[in-house]
Amino acid sequence: MADESRGAQPKHPQQLFFDNVNPATRLLEKRRQMYEVQDALENQKARFAKEEEQFRKKEEQLRAKDLQLQHQLCRFNKFLQDNEAKRRRADTRATEEAAQIRQKDEEIQDLEKQLEDSKNLCAKLEEEKERNMKYEEFLEFVKDTCDDYTEIGEIVARHDTLESANHDLANQQTESETRIEDLRNEFQAYRKEQEMEMMELRNKVAVLATELDSCQKTRQQLENQVNEATQEDSRHSLYFGQILMSVENLFLRCTTKRKNIQHATTPMDDEGAKGREGENGQEEAEDSFRRKKEHAHRQLKVILAYLKDFKDICDALKREQRTVMSKKGQAGLDQAVQLPELAIKFEAEAPRGGNRGSENSGSQ
């Protein structure tokens, strides 16, 4: 077919070369070539259509063969699945039958073992029967010789009763021994517990004795500190009394020897003292100390006022001396201005009655 297609192919027209021809001839030549190319194209299209038809038929044949192969493959796959299912069922059945065979074999072995045990038990019972025949003969002899029992059953019942009583007594003995052992263990545990408690109490007593010694030492130290604080307080009280007496002497000297200046009658800043006088819940000793302190504070303020006046007087005298010296001239400048020094003496004050003595004794 390929040879036929190659033989059917048209030959390309030969191209003629006209170098010296007119345009009409050349146009005719071009048209002739175009017709030839058109015929060749039509022939090529017919050939391609024929080949396409042949290819389509081959494709349909291949598609049909493919479908046939798919159907055969499905049937073969189904066949394989059925065979696999049958094989699995056969394997399962074989496994189950093997298990049943093993179970039956085990049951046969168990039954054979039970049969053997039963035979052995029968033999043992037979031997025990033969051994117990002498006891039966003995019981028959006892029944015939003793008038208390008329049947062998009565003798057996009596034996069972005595055996039951013996068993009960043995159980009671065992229970009593167990109870005695429990009581002994409880006693030992209680004894150990009491010994541990006694040991703990001894340890606590030792610890408390140590704490008591420590507390006694601490109390002795605190008593010593209290005695020292009491002595220190006595020294401070003495020093405070001396200060109060000195302030009182200065106050009396300022107020008695300079009667023309009365700073003691000038109201001082006692608002804080008045506010504190109204407080409640103060002890008597602290209240007395506070009153003495406030009284001394007021006296010190008065003494300060007198000292300020004295300082002002001194400053005024110095200014007057400078004025006088400036009037006298250059000669008077060489003279030194000496101011009289204020001689401060501490005079012992005569006792003024019982109130002053009580204050001094309180300060001491």
Side-chain angles (χ1 to χ4, degrees):
M1 183 179 292
D3 295 336
E4 293 177 356
S5 62
R6 284 196 297 269
Q9 289 180 359
K11 297 181 180 180
H12 293 287
Q14 296 180 356
Q15 186 176 4
L16 299 177
F17 297 96
F18 298 98
D19 294 332
N20 299 313
V21 292
N22 56 2
T25 304
R26 191 176 297 173
L27 178 62
L28 291 174
E29 182 63 23
K30 292 293 183 184
R31 284 181 181 178
R32 186 183 62 81
Q33 291 177 359
M34 184 182 68
Y35 290 147
E36 290 178 356
V37 170
Q38 186 70 28
D39 293 336
L41 180 62
E42 292 295 332
N43 294 330
Q44 190 74 16
K45 285 183 179 180
R47 186 175 60 83
F48 285 162
K50 186 177 180 181
E51 289 178 355
E52 184 179 2
E53 182 66 23
Q54 292 176 358
F55 291 152
R56 185 178 59 77
K57 289 179 180 180
K58 288 182 178 181
E59 184 179 4
E60 289 178 356
Q61 291 176 0
L62 292 175
R63 187 178 293 110
K65 289 181 180 180
D66 188 16
L67 291 174
Q68 186 178 1
L69 289 174
Q70 287 181 1
H71 288 304
Q72 292 178 358
L73 180 62
C74 290
R75 288 196 300 270
F76 183 71
N77 190 13
K78 185 177 181 182
F79 175 74
L80 292 177
Q81 290 179 356
D82 294 338
N83 289 337
E84 183 68 20
K86 290 178 182 179
R87 187 186 64 79
R88 289 179 181 176
R89 287 196 296 271
D91 292 339
T92 305
R93 187 175 179 182
T95 304
E96 292 177 354
E97 289 179 355
Q100 290 177 1
I101 291 171
R102 287 194 298 271
Q103 184 179 1
K104 294 298 181 182
D105 292 337
E106 292 176 357
E107 290 178 358
I108 290 170
Q109 292 176 1
D110 293 337
L111 292 173
E112 289 178 352
K113 186 177 180 181
Q114 290 178 6
L115 179 60
E116 187 67 25
D117 294 337
S118 299
K119 289 180 180 180
N120 294 329
L121 181 61
C122 288
K124 290 180 181 179
L125 292 174
E126 189 67 27
E127 292 176 359
E128 187 177 359
K129 175 187 174 184
E130 292 178 357
R131 287 196 305 268
N132 292 330
M133 286 300 294
K134 56 184 178 180
Y135 298 111
E136 186 177 1
E137 293 175 357
F138 175 74
L139 292 175
E140 288 289 343
F141 177 74
V142 171
K143 182 187 71 171
D144 295 336
T145 57
C146 184
D147 297 334
D148 294 335
Y149 304 102
T150 59
E151 296 292 337
I152 296 175
E154 294 179 0
I155 299 172
V156 175
R158 180 63 177 168
H159 178 267
D160 293 338
T161 303
L162 293 175
E163 187 177 4
S164 177
N166 186 20
H167 183 68
D168 293 337
L169 292 174
N171 291 333
Q172 290 180 4
Q173 184 179 1
T174 304
E175 291 177 357
S176 300
E177 290 177 355
T178 305
R179 186 177 179 185
I180 290 169
E181 187 66 24
D182 293 338
L183 291 173
R184 186 180 291 108
N185 293 331
E186 289 179 1
F187 174 71
Q188 293 294 335
Y190 179 74
R191 184 176 179 180
K192 290 181 181 179
E193 185 178 356
Q194 293 298 320
E195 289 177 356
M196 292 298 294
E197 289 181 358
M198 290 294 293
M199 189 178 295
E200 290 179 358
L201 291 174
R202 291 193 189 98
N203 294 332
K204 287 182 180 179
V205 169
V207 172
L208 292 174
T210 305
E211 292 180 356
L212 178 61
D213 295 337
S214 177
C215 292
Q216 288 178 354
K217 291 179 182 179
T218 305
R219 186 188 67 180
Q220 188 66 29
Q221 293 176 359
L222 292 175
E223 288 179 354
N224 295 332
Q225 292 178 2
V226 169
N227 293 330
E228 292 176 359
T230 304
Q231 294 176 3
E232 186 69 19
D233 186 61
S234 299
R235 287 196 297 271
H236 284 298
S237 298
L238 179 61
Y239 184 64
F240 181 68
Q242 292 175 357
I243 291 173
L244 290 177
M245 291 178 64
S246 300
V247 172
E248 185 71 21
N249 291 331
L250 289 173
F251 179 75
L252 291 175
R253 289 187 63 183
C254 291
T255 55
T256 56
K257 293 189 177 183
R258 293 172 180 80
K259 297 182 180 180
N260 55 349
I261 302 174
Q262 296 294 330
H263 286 293
T265 58
T266 305
M268 297 296 167
D269 188 10
D270 297 336
E271 292 180 359
K274 290 180 182 180
R276 287 190 296 271
E277 286 177 359
E279 293 180 354
N280 296 325
Q282 297 291 336
E283 295 181 359
E284 184 177 357
E286 293 179 357
D287 193 17
S288 176
F289 175 79
R290 181 172 55 79
R291 287 197 301 271
K292 290 177 183 179
K293 182 183 71 173
E294 292 175 354
H295 182 67
H297 190 261
R298 289 193 295 271
Q299 289 179 351
L300 287 172
K301 285 184 178 180
V302 172
I303 293 169
L304 179 62
Y306 279 106
L307 290 175
K308 287 181 179 179
D309 293 342
F310 180 73
K311 184 174 180 296
D312 294 338
I313 292 171
C314 291
D315 293 338
L317 290 175
K318 286 179 182 179
R319 286 195 298 272
E320 290 178 359
Q321 289 292 335
R322 290 193 191 95
T323 304
V324 171
M325 292 301 294
S326 60
K327 290 181 180 180
K328 287 182 179 181
Q330 186 67 30
L333 293 176
D334 295 334
Q335 296 180 0
V337 177
Q338 297 180 354
L339 296 176
E341 295 182 357
L342 179 62
I344 300 174
K345 297 180 180 181
F346 294 95
E347 296 179 356
E349 182 185 3
R352 293 186 296 174
N355 293 330
R356 183 64 181 173
S358 63
E359 290 180 359
N360 292 332
S361 63
S363 65
Q364 295 292 333

